[in-house]
Amino acid sequence: MARPRFTGSFTQQLPIPEEGIAAAVAVMRSGRLHRYNTGVGEESETMALEREYASWQGARFCLALASGGQAMQIALRAAGVKAGDAVLTNAFTLAPVPGAISGVGAKPVLVEITENLVIDLADLEAKAKLSGARYLLLSHMRGHLCDMEALAALAAELHLTVIEDCAHTMGATWNGRRSGSFGHAGCFSTQTYKHLNSGEGGFLTSDDAEFMARATILSGSYMLYERHGAGPDVATYSDIRLDTPNMSARMDNLRAALLRPQLRAIEADIDAWNARHDLVAEKLAASPAIHVPHRPAAEHYVGSSIQFLIPGISSEATRKLMAYLADVGVEVKWFGANLPVGFTSDHHSWRYIGQQKLPRTDEILAGLFDMRLPLTFSLDDCALIADHILDAVAVVFPEDRA
């Protein structure tokens, strides 16, 4: 019997909790949407969110921002990156990462990845020495963590300041330590397809008071930096407030109101994502044609999406595979396309950074497929999706591969 066509939406997120809706309505009724527009003695939603997120993340300081991309740009500026500086980053990432580097006038230097979709530490060392770079914007792309202890040790040896892009690893840990706490700062996103959903938004966390004071002024505090839920002592701003420009990248109270109840539910959501991810991963791993990236025991990931590779797949076979999956309602993205499609792109599409040779990464991306796993999918949905992918592989490849 033929399998039923999958009819779910790969872009449909869970609704905002009723508590968040009520809080957002209260903000709108108050008219006080701007984060610094508070009454005497009043704590804004954004202040409360910063305090709560810092506590959950285990960071001294947290700054709520308009987007994860702005968090990265502000982090780079606050860390001291200047125009013309070389900044290392993964060759496999999404456009906002090289965009943030270029946005501060710096030069992205792309580092090869491994078949497990993490930064290649040997190439990182070579590129750091060759370029003279003193900064690494480390992208935990699609939720995959490299050996973070080895990375931290190498960064110390190379005198690299590490900024972590944790857009896909909010809640992930390495040996029990949270993503975003291994470097100088962690950058997080609350865009719709991330682990908290405010449409757009982001956080910047750090334990460095002067760094966070610079970031707060850069975000556009209008000298109201005491109205932060998890910021440095007011004295830290003494000179920084006069030496640092305003980039206007604040989060507003409306988005903060939506996020606070979601943060309280995030641990349960992580368990639910991982149940879906692991079910699909186990099924796909049964195919000899498919490589599912290895997850070390030290890594506690957040499986809100899944990636799988079909090494050596041709462009013609890929077209057949994608066409088959589209016919049965399964939305899979391919990172080997010549041109960017939707949220999918690679370094060949970022012409503003200059051409860079990355043969190993290109080989991996040519056979890399990516799929969202929203919490609106049931476990039965995920099983059906995985079976459709296995069927597609069996149709496209000879019996000895499928």
Side-chain angles (χ1 to χ4, degrees), residues 236-296:
T236 311
Y237 293 89
S238 178
D239 291 323
I240 289 170
R241 63 189 184 131
L242 304 177
D243 297 331
T244 309
N246 177 334
M247 309 302 292
S248 292
R250 300 165 298 274
M251 182 181 285
D252 58 74
N253 286 327
L254 186 57
R255 281 184 278 187
L258 300 177
L259 290 170
R260 291 180 67 201
Q262 293 179 61
L263 179 60
R264 290 191 280 274
I266 193 170
E267 298 293 346
D269 286 348
I270 289 171
D271 290 342
W273 267 311
N274 285 357
R276 286 151 178 77
H277 173 278
D278 292 352
L279 187 156
V280 176
E282 183 177 358
K283 278 181 164 286
L284 295 187
S287 168
I290 295 175
H291 169 72
V292 177
H294 173 64
R295 298 283 196 174

Short mmCIF file of all heavy atoms in Angstrom, two decimals, residues 236-296:
data_model
loop_
_atom_site.label_atom_id
_atom_site.label_comp_id
_atom_site.label_asym_id
_atom_site.label_seq_id
_atom_site.Cartn_x
_atom_site.Cartn_y
_atom_site.Cartn_z
N THR A 236 30.45 51.40 35.45
CA THR A 236 31.19 50.84 34.31
C THR A 236 31.06 51.72 33.08
O THR A 236 31.92 51.72 32.20
CB THR A 236 30.67 49.42 33.98
OG1 THR A 236 30.61 48.65 35.18
CG2 THR A 236 31.57 48.72 32.98
N TYR A 237 29.98 52.49 33.01
CA TYR A 237 29.69 53.29 31.82
C TYR A 237 30.37 54.66 31.81
O TYR A 237 30.21 55.41 30.84
CB TYR A 237 28.17 53.51 31.73
CG TYR A 237 27.38 52.27 31.45
CD1 TYR A 237 26.92 51.47 32.48
CD2 TYR A 237 27.07 51.89 30.14
CE1 TYR A 237 26.18 50.33 32.24
CE2 TYR A 237 26.33 50.75 29.89
CZ TYR A 237 25.89 49.97 30.94
OH TYR A 237 25.16 48.84 30.69
N SER A 238 31.12 54.97 32.84
CA SER A 238 31.64 56.32 33.03
C SER A 238 32.24 56.94 31.76
O SER A 238 31.82 58.02 31.32
CB SER A 238 32.68 56.32 34.15
OG SER A 238 33.22 57.60 34.33
N ASP A 239 33.21 56.28 31.14
CA ASP A 239 33.81 56.79 29.90
C ASP A 239 33.18 56.16 28.67
O ASP A 239 33.04 56.80 27.63
CB ASP A 239 35.32 56.51 29.89
CG ASP A 239 36.07 57.35 30.92
OD1 ASP A 239 35.68 58.52 31.11
OD2 ASP A 239 37.02 56.83 31.53
N ILE A 240 32.78 54.89 28.80
CA ILE A 240 32.23 54.15 27.65
C ILE A 240 31.02 54.86 27.07
O ILE A 240 30.83 54.92 25.85
CB ILE A 240 31.86 52.72 28.09
CG1 ILE A 240 33.14 51.90 28.35
CG2 ILE A 240 30.96 52.02 27.07
CD1 ILE A 240 32.90 50.55 29.00
N ARG A 241 30.20 55.47 27.90
CA ARG A 241 28.97 56.11 27.42
C ARG A 241 29.27 57.28 26.49
O ARG A 241 28.43 57.64 25.65
CB ARG A 241 28.13 56.59 28.61
CG ARG A 241 28.82 57.66 29.43
CD ARG A 241 28.06 57.96 30.71
NE ARG A 241 28.71 59.05 31.44
CZ ARG A 241 28.07 60.12 31.91
NH1 ARG A 241 26.76 60.25 31.74
NH2 ARG A 241 28.73 61.05 32.56
N LEU A 242 30.45 57.89 26.61
CA LEU A 242 30.79 59.05 25.80
C LEU A 242 31.64 58.67 24.58
O LEU A 242 31.79 59.49 23.67
CB LEU A 242 31.53 60.08 26.64
CG LEU A 242 30.80 60.56 27.90
CD1 LEU A 242 31.66 61.52 28.68
CD2 LEU A 242 29.46 61.20 27.53
N ASP A 243 32.18 57.48 24.58
CA ASP A 243 33.09 57.07 23.51
C ASP A 243 32.44 56.10 22.51
O ASP A 243 33.09 55.70 21.55
CB ASP A 243 34.32 56.37 24.11
CG ASP A 243 35.14 57.29 24.99
OD1 ASP A 243 35.13 58.51 24.72
OD2 ASP A 243 35.79 56.80 25.92
N THR A 244 31.19 55.74 22.75
CA THR A 244 30.55 54.66 21.98
C THR A 244 29.32 55.18 21.25
O THR A 244 28.46 55.82 21.86
CB THR A 244 30.15 53.51 22.92
OG1 THR A 244 31.28 53.14 23.72
CG2 THR A 244 29.68 52.29 22.13
N PRO A 245 29.19 54.90 19.95
CA PRO A 245 28.03 55.39 19.19
C PRO A 245 26.76 54.59 19.45
O PRO A 245 26.80 53.46 19.93
CB PRO A 245 28.48 55.25 17.73
CG PRO A 245 29.45 54.11 17.75
CD PRO A 245 30.17 54.23 19.07
N ASN A 246 25.65 55.20 19.11
CA ASN A 246 24.32 54.59 19.23
C ASN A 246 23.93 53.97 17.89
O ASN A 246 23.84 54.66 16.89
CB ASN A 246 23.32 55.69 19.64
CG ASN A 246 21.89 55.19 19.75
OD1 ASN A 246 21.48 54.23 19.11
ND2 ASN A 246 21.09 55.90 20.54
N MET A 247 23.69 52.64 17.88
CA MET A 247 23.33 51.94 16.65
C MET A 247 21.84 51.58 16.58
O MET A 247 21.39 50.97 15.62
CB MET A 247 24.17 50.66 16.51
CG MET A 247 25.68 50.85 16.68
SD MET A 247 26.39 52.02 15.51
CE MET A 247 26.22 51.09 13.99
N SER A 248 21.07 51.91 17.62
CA SER A 248 19.62 51.70 17.65
C SER A 248 19.20 50.29 17.24
O SER A 248 18.71 50.04 16.14
CB SER A 248 18.91 52.73 16.75
OG SER A 248 19.04 54.03 17.30
N ALA A 249 19.39 49.34 18.14
CA ALA A 249 19.06 47.94 17.85
C ALA A 249 18.39 47.28 19.06
O ALA A 249 18.65 46.13 19.38
CB ALA A 249 20.32 47.17 17.47
N ARG A 250 17.48 48.00 19.69
CA ARG A 250 16.85 47.52 20.92
C ARG A 250 15.70 46.56 20.64
O ARG A 250 15.03 46.66 19.62
CB ARG A 250 16.29 48.71 21.72
CG ARG A 250 17.31 49.74 22.15
CD ARG A 250 16.62 51.02 22.61
NE ARG A 250 15.87 51.61 21.50
CZ ARG A 250 16.38 52.45 20.59
NH1 ARG A 250 17.65 52.81 20.68
NH2 ARG A 250 15.65 52.93 19.63
N MET A 251 15.45 45.66 21.60
CA MET A 251 14.19 44.92 21.61
C MET A 251 13.12 45.79 22.28
O MET A 251 13.43 46.62 23.14
CB MET A 251 14.33 43.60 22.39
CG MET A 251 13.05 42.76 22.39
SD MET A 251 13.20 41.21 23.32
CE MET A 251 14.18 40.24 22.17
N ASP A 252 11.87 45.60 21.89
CA ASP A 252 10.77 46.36 22.50
C ASP A 252 10.01 45.50 23.50
O ASP A 252 10.17 44.28 23.56
CB ASP A 252 9.83 46.89 21.43
CG ASP A 252 9.26 45.77 20.57
OD1 ASP A 252 8.38 45.03 21.05
OD2 ASP A 252 9.72 45.62 19.41
N ASN A 253 9.15 46.13 24.29
CA ASN A 253 8.42 45.42 25.33
C ASN A 253 7.39 44.43 24.78
O ASN A 253 7.07 43.44 25.44
CB ASN A 253 7.72 46.43 26.24
CG ASN A 253 8.68 47.14 27.16
OD1 ASN A 253 9.68 46.56 27.59
ND2 ASN A 253 8.41 48.40 27.45
N LEU A 254 6.88 44.69 23.60
CA LEU A 254 5.89 43.79 23.03
C LEU A 254 6.51 42.42 22.75
O LEU A 254 5.95 41.38 23.10
CB LEU A 254 5.31 44.40 21.74
CG LEU A 254 4.14 43.65 21.10
CD1 LEU A 254 2.99 43.50 22.07
CD2 LEU A 254 3.68 44.39 19.85
N ARG A 255 7.67 42.41 22.13
CA ARG A 255 8.33 41.14 21.83
C ARG A 255 8.79 40.45 23.13
O ARG A 255 8.71 39.23 23.25
CB ARG A 255 9.49 41.36 20.87
CG ARG A 255 9.02 41.53 19.43
CD ARG A 255 10.16 41.65 18.47
NE ARG A 255 10.69 43.00 18.43
CZ ARG A 255 11.63 43.42 17.57
NH1 ARG A 255 12.15 42.55 16.71
NH2 ARG A 255 12.03 44.66 17.57
N ALA A 256 9.27 41.25 24.07
CA ALA A 256 9.69 40.65 25.34
C ALA A 256 8.53 39.96 26.04
O ALA A 256 8.68 38.89 26.64
CB ALA A 256 10.28 41.73 26.25
N ALA A 257 7.35 40.56 25.96
CA ALA A 257 6.16 39.96 26.58
C ALA A 257 5.82 38.61 25.96
O ALA A 257 5.39 37.68 26.65
CB ALA A 257 4.97 40.92 26.45
N LEU A 258 6.03 38.48 24.65
CA LEU A 258 5.78 37.21 23.98
C LEU A 258 6.79 36.14 24.39
O LEU A 258 6.47 34.95 24.43
CB LEU A 258 5.86 37.41 22.46
CG LEU A 258 4.89 38.39 21.81
CD1 LEU A 258 5.18 38.50 20.32
CD2 LEU A 258 3.45 37.96 22.04
N LEU A 259 8.01 36.57 24.71
CA LEU A 259 9.10 35.62 24.93
C LEU A 259 9.16 35.06 26.35
O LEU A 259 9.60 33.92 26.56
CB LEU A 259 10.44 36.29 24.61
CG LEU A 259 10.69 36.57 23.13
CD1 LEU A 259 11.93 37.45 22.95
CD2 LEU A 259 10.88 35.25 22.36
N ARG A 260 8.77 35.82 27.33
CA ARG A 260 8.97 35.40 28.72
C ARG A 260 8.30 34.06 29.04
O ARG A 260 8.95 33.16 29.60
CB ARG A 260 8.52 36.49 29.68
CG ARG A 260 9.42 37.73 29.64
CD ARG A 260 8.93 38.79 30.61
NE ARG A 260 9.08 38.33 32.00
CZ ARG A 260 8.39 38.85 33.01
NH1 ARG A 260 7.53 39.84 32.80
NH2 ARG A 260 8.57 38.39 34.24
N PRO A 261 7.04 33.84 28.68
CA PRO A 261 6.45 32.52 28.98
C PRO A 261 7.05 31.40 28.13
O PRO A 261 7.10 30.25 28.59
CB PRO A 261 4.96 32.72 28.68
CG PRO A 261 4.88 33.91 27.79
CD PRO A 261 6.02 34.79 28.17
N GLN A 262 7.51 31.72 26.93
CA GLN A 262 8.18 30.70 26.12
C GLN A 262 9.47 30.23 26.78
O GLN A 262 9.81 29.04 26.74
CB GLN A 262 8.47 31.24 24.73
CG GLN A 262 7.25 31.52 23.88
CD GLN A 262 7.65 32.07 22.52
OE1 GLN A 262 8.35 31.41 21.75
NE2 GLN A 262 7.20 33.28 22.21
N LEU A 263 10.21 31.16 27.38
CA LEU A 263 11.45 30.80 28.06
C LEU A 263 11.17 29.83 29.20
O LEU A 263 11.95 28.90 29.44
CB LEU A 263 12.15 32.06 28.57
CG LEU A 263 13.47 31.85 29.32
CD1 LEU A 263 14.50 31.14 28.44
CD2 LEU A 263 14.01 33.19 29.82
N ARG A 264 10.06 30.03 29.89
CA ARG A 264 9.73 29.14 31.01
C ARG A 264 9.42 27.72 30.53
O ARG A 264 9.52 26.77 31.30
CB ARG A 264 8.55 29.72 31.80
CG ARG A 264 8.93 30.98 32.58
CD ARG A 264 7.84 31.37 33.56
NE ARG A 264 6.74 32.09 32.93
CZ ARG A 264 6.73 33.40 32.73
NH1 ARG A 264 7.78 34.15 33.08
NH2 ARG A 264 5.69 33.99 32.17
N ALA A 265 9.05 27.58 29.25
CA ALA A 265 8.70 26.25 28.71
C ALA A 265 9.80 25.63 27.86
O ALA A 265 9.61 24.54 27.31
CB ALA A 265 7.42 26.38 27.88
N ILE A 266 10.97 26.28 27.76
CA ILE A 266 11.94 25.86 26.76
C ILE A 266 12.53 24.48 27.04
O ILE A 266 12.81 23.72 26.10
CB ILE A 266 13.06 26.92 26.60
CG1 ILE A 266 13.88 26.61 25.33
CG2 ILE A 266 13.92 27.02 27.83
CD1 ILE A 266 14.85 27.70 24.95
N GLU A 267 12.72 24.11 28.28
CA GLU A 267 13.30 22.80 28.56
C GLU A 267 12.39 21.68 28.08
O GLU A 267 12.87 20.68 27.50
CB GLU A 267 13.61 22.65 30.05
CG GLU A 267 14.63 23.65 30.59
CD GLU A 267 16.03 23.46 30.01
OE1 GLU A 267 16.29 22.41 29.39
OE2 GLU A 267 16.87 24.37 30.19
N ALA A 268 11.10 21.81 28.28
CA ALA A 268 10.16 20.81 27.78
C ALA A 268 10.14 20.80 26.26
O ALA A 268 10.04 19.73 25.63
CB ALA A 268 8.75 21.09 28.32
N ASP A 269 10.27 21.97 25.64
CA ASP A 269 10.30 22.04 24.18
C ASP A 269 11.56 21.36 23.63
O ASP A 269 11.50 20.69 22.59
CB ASP A 269 10.26 23.51 23.73
CG ASP A 269 8.89 24.14 23.89
OD1 ASP A 269 7.92 23.39 24.12
OD2 ASP A 269 8.80 25.38 23.79
N ILE A 270 12.68 21.52 24.31
CA ILE A 270 13.92 20.87 23.87
C ILE A 270 13.74 19.35 23.87
O ILE A 270 14.13 18.66 22.91
CB ILE A 270 15.10 21.30 24.76
CG1 ILE A 270 15.46 22.77 24.48
CG2 ILE A 270 16.31 20.40 24.53
CD1 ILE A 270 16.46 23.34 25.46
N ASP A 271 13.13 18.82 24.92
CA ASP A 271 12.88 17.38 24.97
C ASP A 271 11.99 16.95 23.81
O ASP A 271 12.21 15.89 23.20
CB ASP A 271 12.22 17.00 26.30
CG ASP A 271 13.17 17.12 27.48
OD1 ASP A 271 14.40 17.15 27.27
OD2 ASP A 271 12.67 17.18 28.62
N ALA A 272 10.98 17.76 23.50
CA ALA A 272 10.06 17.41 22.42
C ALA A 272 10.75 17.46 21.06
O ALA A 272 10.55 16.59 20.20
CB ALA A 272 8.85 18.35 22.44
N TRP A 273 11.59 18.48 20.83
CA TRP A 273 12.35 18.55 19.57
C TRP A 273 13.26 17.34 19.42
O TRP A 273 13.35 16.73 18.35
CB TRP A 273 13.19 19.83 19.53
CG TRP A 273 12.52 20.98 18.88
CD1 TRP A 273 11.89 20.99 17.66
CD2 TRP A 273 12.43 22.32 19.38
NE1 TRP A 273 11.41 22.25 17.38
CE2 TRP A 273 11.73 23.08 18.42
CE3 TRP A 273 12.89 22.93 20.54
CZ2 TRP A 273 11.47 24.45 18.60
CZ3 TRP A 273 12.63 24.29 20.72
CH2 TRP A 273 11.93 25.02 19.76
N ASN A 274 13.94 16.98 20.50
CA ASN A 274 14.90 15.89 20.41
C ASN A 274 14.22 14.54 20.18
O ASN A 274 14.78 13.67 19.51
CB ASN A 274 15.78 15.86 21.65
CG ASN A 274 16.82 16.97 21.64
OD1 ASN A 274 16.92 17.73 20.68
ND2 ASN A 274 17.57 17.08 22.71
N ALA A 275 13.02 14.37 20.72
CA ALA A 275 12.28 13.13 20.44
C ALA A 275 11.98 13.03 18.95
O ALA A 275 12.10 11.94 18.35
CB ALA A 275 10.99 13.12 21.25
N ARG A 276 11.62 14.13 18.32
CA ARG A 276 11.33 14.13 16.88
C ARG A 276 12.61 13.92 16.06
O ARG A 276 12.64 13.11 15.13
CB ARG A 276 10.64 15.45 16.50
CG ARG A 276 9.18 15.51 16.97
CD ARG A 276 8.69 16.92 17.27
NE ARG A 276 7.29 16.90 17.66
CZ ARG A 276 6.86 16.53 18.87
NH1 ARG A 276 7.72 16.14 19.81
NH2 ARG A 276 5.57 16.53 19.15
N HIS A 277 13.65 14.66 16.43
CA HIS A 277 14.92 14.54 15.72
C HIS A 277 15.46 13.11 15.79
O HIS A 277 15.86 12.52 14.78
CB HIS A 277 15.94 15.50 16.33
CG HIS A 277 17.33 15.35 15.81
ND1 HIS A 277 18.19 14.38 16.28
CD2 HIS A 277 18.01 16.02 14.85
CE1 HIS A 277 19.33 14.45 15.63
NE2 HIS A 277 19.26 15.44 14.77
N ASP A 278 15.46 12.53 16.98
CA ASP A 278 16.08 11.23 17.16
C ASP A 278 15.31 10.13 16.44
O ASP A 278 15.91 9.17 15.93
CB ASP A 278 16.20 10.90 18.64
CG ASP A 278 17.20 11.81 19.35
OD1 ASP A 278 17.91 12.59 18.66
OD2 ASP A 278 17.26 11.77 20.59
N LEU A 279 13.99 10.26 16.39
CA LEU A 279 13.19 9.29 15.64
C LEU A 279 13.56 9.31 14.16
O LEU A 279 13.80 8.26 13.55
CB LEU A 279 11.70 9.61 15.83
CG LEU A 279 10.67 8.63 15.27
CD1 LEU A 279 9.35 8.75 16.01
CD2 LEU A 279 10.42 8.82 13.78
N VAL A 280 13.63 10.50 13.58
CA VAL A 280 13.97 10.62 12.16
C VAL A 280 15.40 10.18 11.91
O VAL A 280 15.69 9.44 10.97
CB VAL A 280 13.76 12.08 11.67
CG1 VAL A 280 14.21 12.23 10.21
CG2 VAL A 280 12.29 12.48 11.80
N ALA A 281 16.32 10.61 12.78
CA ALA A 281 17.73 10.26 12.60
C ALA A 281 17.94 8.75 12.63
O ALA A 281 18.71 8.19 11.83
CB ALA A 281 18.57 10.93 13.68
N GLU A 282 17.28 8.07 13.56
CA GLU A 282 17.44 6.62 13.67
C GLU A 282 16.94 5.92 12.41
O GLU A 282 17.58 4.99 11.91
CB GLU A 282 16.69 6.11 14.90
CG GLU A 282 16.86 4.62 15.13
CD GLU A 282 16.18 4.13 16.40
OE1 GLU A 282 15.60 4.96 17.13
OE2 GLU A 282 16.23 2.90 16.66
N LYS A 283 15.83 6.38 11.87
CA LYS A 283 15.30 5.77 10.65
C LYS A 283 16.23 6.02 9.46
O LYS A 283 16.54 5.10 8.70
CB LYS A 283 13.90 6.31 10.35
CG LYS A 283 12.77 5.64 11.13
CD LYS A 283 11.44 6.23 10.75
CE LYS A 283 10.28 5.34 11.20
NZ LYS A 283 10.14 4.13 10.39
N LEU A 284 16.69 7.25 9.31
CA LEU A 284 17.53 7.57 8.15
C LEU A 284 18.88 6.85 8.23
O LEU A 284 19.44 6.47 7.20
CB LEU A 284 17.76 9.08 8.08
CG LEU A 284 16.52 9.95 7.82
CD1 LEU A 284 16.95 11.40 7.61
CD2 LEU A 284 15.71 9.46 6.64
N ALA A 285 19.39 6.67 9.43
CA ALA A 285 20.70 6.03 9.58
C ALA A 285 20.68 4.57 9.12
O ALA A 285 21.75 3.99 8.88
CB ALA A 285 21.15 6.11 11.03
N ALA A 286 19.50 3.99 8.97
CA ALA A 286 19.41 2.60 8.51
C ALA A 286 19.74 2.46 7.03
O ALA A 286 19.99 1.35 6.55
CB ALA A 286 18.01 2.06 8.79
N SER A 287 19.74 3.56 6.29
CA SER A 287 20.05 3.52 4.86
C SER A 287 21.56 3.62 4.65
O SER A 287 22.18 4.56 5.14
CB SER A 287 19.36 4.67 4.12
OG SER A 287 19.86 4.79 2.80
N PRO A 288 22.15 2.69 3.89
CA PRO A 288 23.59 2.79 3.62
C PRO A 288 23.96 3.97 2.75
O PRO A 288 25.14 4.34 2.68
CB PRO A 288 23.91 1.45 2.94
CG PRO A 288 22.62 0.98 2.39
CD PRO A 288 21.55 1.47 3.33
N ALA A 289 22.98 4.58 2.08
CA ALA A 289 23.26 5.73 1.22
C ALA A 289 23.36 7.03 2.01
O ALA A 289 23.89 8.02 1.51
CB ALA A 289 22.18 5.87 0.16
N ILE A 290 22.83 7.03 3.24
CA ILE A 290 22.69 8.27 4.01
C ILE A 290 23.68 8.30 5.16
O ILE A 290 23.85 7.33 5.89
CB ILE A 290 21.25 8.40 4.56
CG1 ILE A 290 20.25 8.56 3.40
CG2 ILE A 290 21.13 9.58 5.52
CD1 ILE A 290 18.80 8.58 3.85
N HIS A 291 24.34 9.45 5.31
CA HIS A 291 25.18 9.71 6.48
C HIS A 291 24.49 10.75 7.36
O HIS A 291 24.21 11.87 6.91
CB HIS A 291 26.56 10.24 6.07
CG HIS A 291 27.37 10.77 7.21
ND1 HIS A 291 27.92 9.95 8.17
CD2 HIS A 291 27.69 12.04 7.57
CE1 HIS A 291 28.56 10.69 9.07
NE2 HIS A 291 28.43 11.97 8.73
N VAL A 292 24.17 10.36 8.58
CA VAL A 292 23.63 11.29 9.56
C VAL A 292 24.79 11.76 10.44
O VAL A 292 25.52 10.94 10.99
CB VAL A 292 22.55 10.62 10.43
CG1 VAL A 292 22.04 11.59 11.50
CG2 VAL A 292 21.39 10.13 9.56
N PRO A 293 25.02 13.08 10.54
CA PRO A 293 26.16 13.57 11.32
C PRO A 293 26.23 12.97 12.72
O PRO A 293 25.20 12.83 13.40
CB PRO A 293 25.94 15.08 11.36
CG PRO A 293 25.17 15.37 10.11
CD PRO A 293 24.27 14.19 9.91
N HIS A 294 27.43 12.63 13.14
CA HIS A 294 27.64 12.03 14.45
C HIS A 294 27.46 13.08 15.55
O HIS A 294 27.92 14.21 15.43
CB HIS A 294 29.06 11.46 14.52
CG HIS A 294 29.45 10.97 15.88
ND1 HIS A 294 28.82 9.90 16.50
CD2 HIS A 294 30.41 11.40 16.75
CE1 HIS A 294 29.36 9.71 17.68
NE2 HIS A 294 30.33 10.60 17.86
N ARG A 295 26.79 12.68 16.61
CA ARG A 295 26.60 13.54 17.79
C ARG A 295 27.40 12.95 18.95
O ARG A 295 27.05 11.90 19.47
CB ARG A 295 25.12 13.59 18.17
CG ARG A 295 24.21 14.18 17.11
CD ARG A 295 24.30 15.69 17.08
NE ARG A 295 23.17 16.29 16.36
CZ ARG A 295 22.95 17.58 16.28
NH1 ARG A 295 23.76 18.43 16.87
NH2 ARG A 295 21.93 18.05 15.61
N PRO A 296 28.49 13.60 19.37
CA PRO A 296 29.29 13.07 20.49
C PRO A 296 28.49 12.99 21.78
O PRO A 296 27.52 13.75 21.97
CB PRO A 296 30.44 14.08 20.61
CG PRO A 296 30.45 14.82 19.31
CD PRO A 296 29.05 14.84 18.82
#
